[in-house]
Amino acid sequence: MREIDAAQQSSVFSVSECYPNPFHSHASITVLLAEQSDVILEMFDAAGHEINMIHHEHLTTGQHVFRFDAEMLPSGIYFLRVSKNKRNPVVRKMVLLR
C-alpha cells in the first residue's frame, strides 16, 4: 500500500484484487478506508445474479481483510462488487477453478 497524505485522507477508498486469483475454494480481498463508512461486499455470477452478500456493515478507518468461501459454487467467473456508502462501486473479477 502507498502512503496517504492529509489531502487525500477523506477520499481514499481502495480495494485490492482478489487473492489468489484464480482460486479453488477460498479467496481474500482487502479494503482500505480513510474514514468510517458503510461497506457492502456482494458476489455475483457471470450472468449477474447475486450469489452472496459477504458483508453489509459499518467499518472503521483502516485496512479490512475479507475471506470468502466458495466451496459450494461451481467453477466459473464471478464478480465481487464493493461499495462505500452505497456509492462508487468497485468491481473485481474472480475465477474459481475446481
Side-chain angles (χ1 to χ4, degrees), residues 18 42-49 51-52 54 77-81 91-95:
C18 294
E42 303 164 286
M43 187 177 200
F44 296 86
D45 65 15
H49 301 114
I51 300 298
N52 191 6
I54 297 168
I77 295 174
Y78 294 89
F79 297 92
L80 185 68
R81 181 171 65 191
V91 177
R92 297 290 186 242
K93 180 180 172 181
M94 304 177 296
V95 179

Side-chain angles (χ1 to χ4, degrees), residues 4-49:
I4 303 167
D5 66 33
Q8 295 174 313
Q9 285 286 327
S10 64
S11 63
V12 172
F13 169 54
S14 174
V15 180
S16 71
E17 293 296 327
C18 294
Y19 179 82
N21 196 12
F23 68 105
H24 298 286
S25 60
H26 297 90
S28 297
I29 193 161
T30 301
V31 176
L32 177 65
L33 297 171
E35 60 189 4
Q36 295 183 28
S37 305
D38 291 321
V39 174
I40 301 171
L41 281 84
E42 303 164 286
M43 187 177 200
F44 296 86
D45 65 15
H49 301 114

Side-chain angles (χ1 to χ4, degrees), residues 37-42 50 52-59 66 81 83-86:
S37 305
D38 291 321
V39 174
I40 301 171
L41 281 84
E42 303 164 286
E50 185 176 333
N52 191 6
M53 173 76 69
I54 297 168
H55 182 85
H56 186 188
E57 292 182 20
H58 191 78
L59 292 177
F66 297 91
R81 181 171 65 191
S83 57
K84 174 185 143 190
N85 297 327
K86 298 184 180 180

